[in-house]
Amino acid sequence: MAEVIVVGGGVGGMVAALLLARDGHDVRIYERLPRLGGKLAEHRRDGFTFSIGPSLLTLPGLFLDLGVPLDLVELDELCRYRFADGSTLSTCRDPERTAEAVDRLAPGEGRNWRAFHRWAERCLDASTRTFFAGPPSGPVVEPPFRLAGRRPGERPVGPADEQPSGPLPRPRLGDLLAVAPGRTLHALAGRFFRDARLRQYVDRYATYAGSNPYRAPAALGCVPAIEHGDGGWYVRGGLPRLADALAAALDKAGVEIRLETEIAEVVADGERVGGVRTVLGEVVRADVVIVNADAASLYGRLLPDRARLRRIARLGLSSSAFLMLAAVEGRTEGLPHHSVVFSADYRREFGDIFHRRRPPEDPTVYIGCPAVTDATQAPAGAESWSMLVNVPAGDPGRWPTPPEAYAELVLDRLARRGHDLSGRLRFLDLLTPADLRDRYGAWGGAIYGGAYGDPFAPFRRPGNRGPRRGLYLVGGSAHPGGGLPLVAMGGRIVAGLVRRDFPRSRRRPEEAGR
């Protein structure tokens, strides 16, 4: 049995801790904040509840397979896109209905959307066999299983708790071709669609990784295969209930949780880790240290390593977020749970974010309104709107426009495009990149650590094994990336690596039947 410490209680760290505790390891989680879940959090005020992290759950089977109970609601309409010319596109779980909606928007493009969706399915299958199965240069630690097309709770193909072995298989030529190597997401969009609005719809998937579609890899185009294969889901009571359910499972598995306890250092010699030291000076021994924090925080502060920090810096920062949490009087007729109001010039918008390093003058705005699905999220007769604008990571004090004035600009842009909140706001609370930096230790407030700055950037992200025996890294800044499904995969990968590196652990009898 190994002594395991997890530094940071985000979702990836929670998944790794749960699996290792069930394997028989002695596991502790140290979390600086007063609750677990990391960015899977919420803001409450005057009876209104706002998600300030993920607001849509995809691949729920990744969590249900862990035995974590969730009260799920499937969203028939995944998202409604409103373009600058006033036209709209509604996407839903059924790919054929989505193709028909595409044809209504741009006659003749439905056939092209079907071809795009088939490509996305092939890309996802190839990624599942390779990229999602383990670190790019390491062993298979997750048996490849079919991700898309399962209903929640349905077991993956193959035993979920199989002990995998053997090296990560070399990608087959078909797998390499399936992910369109060397092609950007925007180039992929141009390959399938003539209509500029549909190219903008595809380009949006770069924001799932906080990246620029004109430089990010085409492989991000596999996301529609996930959304239309397994669907988009809401957790009743808000997505932070997923963190609560994981915390309850950790408690049942015997994981010791230390909240409001900050780690100052990973204790290690030149070969292996020995534990951690808290900011109060307490040294806690461990055989395994899993860092569920920004990779830049690990190599810049917890275990300084200038060479690795420079490699991370060369990736560049992902985008951050400007969050506007609006308590809205009255109900908005026809408003979906999720909608996106696009800018008129996507290339200029991403130029603002990644090159000019300023909030976009004409921003795309994501709107989440959970009260459409869940009446507990707002008082009767009102709505809670979480509005997100992608902005550059960094100090908002350097913005040409102060955050409060920028919020007015965003509201003005929304009003011009059919979402006028004049006279309806009870209050408007703001979260900036500085808030995300201070709450989560994210470098500059970057949501996903390093950006996907070119088609091969995913393979240069920090790996899951650290430079000392017993040191591992999980979370949005490490392989395989950010977002709830990917950090959960990362937690499984890290648990598999620990099983391989510390093979003498014995599964607890009460967990043997899982």
Side-chain angles (χ1 to χ4, degrees):
M1 180 178 72
E3 299 282 343
V4 179
I5 287 177
V6 180
V7 180
V11 170
M14 296 172 81
V15 169
L18 180 60
L19 291 171
L20 292 173
R22 289 175 175 174
D23 279 348
H25 294 289
D26 186 0
V27 184
R28 297 177 181 178
I29 295 179
Y30 287 82
E31 169 55 51
R32 181 173 62 89
L33 297 176
R35 67 177 297 276
L36 296 177
K39 297 184 184 74
L40 190 58
E42 63 191 3
H43 174 71
R44 295 184 178 186
R45 177 179 169 185
D46 299 343
F48 292 85
T49 303
F50 307 90
S51 288
I52 59 175
S55 58
L56 179 71
L57 178 62
T58 55
L59 299 178
L62 288 170
F63 298 98
L64 295 171
D65 290 343
L66 298 173
V68 177
L70 297 173
D71 187 359
L72 294 173
V73 179
E74 184 171 12
L75 304 179
D76 179 60
E77 185 175 10
L78 296 173
C79 189
R80 186 179 305 167
Y81 301 94
R82 183 182 178 92
F83 300 94
D85 65 359
S87 60
T88 62
L89 170 68
S90 291
T91 61
C92 58
R93 167 74 180 269
D94 181 2
E96 186 55 33
R97 286 174 57 196
T98 300
E100 292 169 358
V102 168
D103 250 336
R104 288 192 294 272
L105 174 72
E109 292 275 38
R111 176 180 59 188
N112 296 331
W113 189 90
R114 293 181 184 93
F116 168 63
H117 183 251
R118 289 193 296 271
W119 178 90
E121 290 179 315
R122 292 193 298 271
C123 180
L124 179 61
D125 286 343
S127 299
T128 301
R129 286 191 293 271
T130 54
F131 191 72
F132 298 148
S137 60
V140 169
V141 291
E142 271 288 291
F145 57 85
R146 178 167 52 89
L147 288 175
R150 289 192 289 126
R151 304 297 296 181
E154 181 184 339
R155 297 292 289 178
V157 175
D161 52 0
E162 172 186 330
Q163 293 289 331
S165 60
L168 185 66
R170 288 181 179 272
R172 300 176 299 191
L173 178 60
D175 288 342
L176 289 173
L177 296 176
V179 301
R183 192 188 295 265
T184 66
L185 183 64
H186 182 70
L188 179 78
R191 170 184 163 189
F192 284 100
F193 297 110
R194 300 183 304 274
D195 192 283
R197 294 168 297 180
L198 293 169
R199 294 196 296 270
Q200 189 174 31
Y201 147 77
V202 175
D203 284 347
R204 176 181 173 256
Y205 288 112
T207 66
Y208 284 44
S211 297
N212 182 343
Y214 302 95
R215 301 190 66 179
L220 290 171
C222 77
V223 175
I226 295 173
E227 293 183 336
H228 298 283
D230 273 45
W233 302 81
Y234 172 75
V235 181
R236 199 177 301 278
L239 260 70
R241 305 291 77 75
L242 169 57
D244 296 341
L246 282 170
L250 289 169
D251 182 66
K252 183 178 179 180
V255 175
E256 183 179 345
I257 298 171
R258 300 280 188 90
L259 299 176
E260 298 182 275
T261 305
E262 185 172 359
I263 299 302
E265 178 188 1
V266 173
V267 177
D269 59 23
E271 295 183 357
R272 65 183 65 218
V273 299
V276 298
R277 181 174 60 83
T278 71
V279 292
L280 298 179
E282 179 188 6
V283 176
V284 186
R285 183 199 168 278
D287 306 296
V288 172
V289 176
I290 300 170
V291 178
N292 184 197
D294 196 293
S297 180
L298 169 62
Y299 295 127
R301 180 177 64 88
L302 299 176
L303 187 66
D305 188 319
R306 290 185 179 180
R308 284 180 168 78
L309 194 60
R310 283 195 295 268
R311 287 199 289 271
I312 293 170
R314 283 196 291 268
L315 290 172
L317 292 177
S318 75
S319 61
S320 187
F322 181 63
L323 277 167
M324 302 169 56
L325 309 177
V328 178
E329 189 71 49
R331 303 303 295 267
T332 308
E333 184 177 355
L335 185 70
H337 193 125
H338 300 286
S339 54
V340 171
V341 181
F342 276 122
S343 67
D345 188 338
Y346 228 26
R347 189 178 289 274
R348 181 180 178 185
E349 179 178 356
F350 283 97
D352 282 342
I353 296 169
F354 288 99
H355 302 299
R356 291 177 285 276
R357 309 295 300 173
R358 66 188 186 193
E361 294 182 356
D362 181 16
T364 293
V365 185
Y366 160 80
I367 303 171
C369 184
V372 172
T373 305
D374 185 352
T376 68
Q377 301 299 287
E383 296 170 336
S384 52
W385 286 31
S386 295
M387 294 175 280
L388 183 150
V389 174
N390 293 304
V391 296
D395 184 2
R398 298 183 178 181
W399 290 0
T401 305
E404 293 76 14
Y406 188 65
E408 291 298 324
L409 180 150
V410 174
L411 291 174
D412 178 68
R413 295 293 189 275
L414 284 175
R416 294 182 188 182
R417 292 178 177 149
H419 295 288
D420 191 352
L421 297 181
S422 300
R424 296 181 61 194
L425 289 178
R426 293 192 190 180
F427 63 80
L428 181 68
D429 291 342
L430 307 178
L431 275 78
T432 72
D435 296 308
L436 300 178
R437 177 198 64 205
D438 295 343
R439 287 189 185 199
Y440 306 117
W443 194 4
I447 299 177
Y448 302 108
Y452 290 172
D454 63 64
F456 300 101
F459 297 97
R460 294 198 297 273
R461 294 178 77 80
N464 302 111
R465 268 201 185 100
R468 306 289 192 278
R469 174 172 167 78
L471 178 64
Y472 304 88
L473 185 59
V474 68
S477 66
H479 179 80
L484 282 176
L486 292 189
V487 297
M489 292 179 198
R492 290 168 177 257
I493 287 171
V494 166
L497 290 171
V498 174
R499 288 170 183 155
R500 178 180 290 270
D501 297 343
F502 295 84
R504 294 185 179 180
S505 64
R506 186 176 65 233
R507 184 170 296 231
R508 292 176 179 173
E510 64 269 23
E511 301 292 344
R514 285 188 178 273

